[in-house]
């Protein structure tokens, strides 16, 4: 397994709509990508990582809201499709493509996502709270949407100012 380079905002790959993974692409290459993405996510202490964040413009992401504590929560979601949302939550959110930026973001409280596993089988995952937040955040990445786009205008301006400062200091 290898650690992949993480794209930082505003890399164009983060702002592009990613391509679906086609039937013939469910192969060893996909499994390797997923393994590398898990390794990269764990090594950065993230709970989710989408392929565009490692410069691969394809619709898939990995997540583990237990931080490696619970094998059942280690999931790769390919071609995710949000099929249900309800409720609302407001909580702190970060993103490995925005190192050092943590801010409150409003999301739905519960979501159901339909996806394919690495073997191509269709699955559904029903998540609330952090799991829902993670699913929604990572599915956004597949659509070229970053969490900056989900902030209030005021928080977005503050985040942009901080990014500018970090860039100036060579910390981005
Ligand atoms: Ni992210």
């Amino acid at each position: 397994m290898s650690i992949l380079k993480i794209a930082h905002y505003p890399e164009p790959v983060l702002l592009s709509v990613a391509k679906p993974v086609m039937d013939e692409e469910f192969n060893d290459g996909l499994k390797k990508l997923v393994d590398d993405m898990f390794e990269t996510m764990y090594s950065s202490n993230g709970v989710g990582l989408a392929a565009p964040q490692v410069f691969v413009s394809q619709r898939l992401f990995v997540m583990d809201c237990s931080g490696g504590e619970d094998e059942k929560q280690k999931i790769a979601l390919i071609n995710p499709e949000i099929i249900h949302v309800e409720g609302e939550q407001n909580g702190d959110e970060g993103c490995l493509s925005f190192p050092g930026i943590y801010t409150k973001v409003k999301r739905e409280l519960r979501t159901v996502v339909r996806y394919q596993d690495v073997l191509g089988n269709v699955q559904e995952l029903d998540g609330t709270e952090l799991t829902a937040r993670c699913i929604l955040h990572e599915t956004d990445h597949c659509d070229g949407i970053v969490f900056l786009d989900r902030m209030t205008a005021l928080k977005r301006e503050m985040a942009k100012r901080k990014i500018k400062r970090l860039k100036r200091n060579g910390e981005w």
Side-chain angles (χ1 to χ4, degrees), residues 48 53 94-98 137-138 141 147:
Q53 294 183 272
C95 178
L96 295 178
S97 295
F98 290 78
H137 178 119
E138 303 307 332
H141 274 304
F147 84 142

Side-chain angles (χ1 to χ4, degrees), residues 3-149:
I3 308 263
L4 306 169
K5 182 176 178 321
I6 294 180
H8 289 174
Y9 177 84
E11 281 286 353
V13 69
L14 293 173
L15 310 175
S16 311
V17 178
K19 291 191 309 290
V21 176
M22 308 306 270
D23 287 345
E24 63 273 20
E25 293 174 304
F26 285 81
N27 53 28
D28 287 349
L30 181 67
K31 284 189 192 130
K32 164 102 168 78
L33 173 63
V34 164
D35 286 346
D36 289 348
M37 285 172 61
F38 274 120
E39 175 137 331
T40 306
M41 179 184 81
Y42 289 128
S43 79
S44 309
N45 297 312
V47 294
L49 182 70
Q53 294 183 272
V54 292
F55 296 90
V56 175
S57 194
Q58 285 194 299
R59 305 183 74 81
L60 71 128
F61 65 89
V62 298
M63 62 183 279
D64 181 352
C65 289
S66 78
E69 296 293 312
D70 177 7
E71 187 69 20
K72 287 194 299 293
Q73 294 195 48
K74 181 180 176 187
I75 310 171
L77 297 89
I78 296 148
N79 295 326
E81 188 192 342
I82 301 294
I83 58 173
H84 177 77
V85 288
E86 67 181 59
E88 195 179 271
Q89 58 175 323
N90 194 18
D92 280 321
E93 200 166 307
C95 178
L96 295 178
S97 295
F98 290 78
I101 307 285
Y102 297 91
T103 189
K104 289 246 189 295
V105 178
K106 232 182 239 177
R107 298 273 183 188
E108 285 85 0
L109 180 63
R110 176 181 169 218
T111 187
V112 181
V113 61
R114 185 175 294 153
Y115 65 97
Q116 285 168 280
D117 61 25
V118 281
L119 301 175
N121 300 315
V122 176
Q123 310 273 2
E124 277 181 21
L125 176 62
D126 184 336
T128 58
E129 301 184 27
L130 179 60
T131 304
R133 176 176 295 284
C134 186
I135 292 167
L136 294 164
H137 178 119
E138 303 307 332
T139 302
D140 269 356
H141 274 304
C142 298
D143 289 318
I145 296 167
V146 290
F147 84 142
L148 202 64
D149 303 318

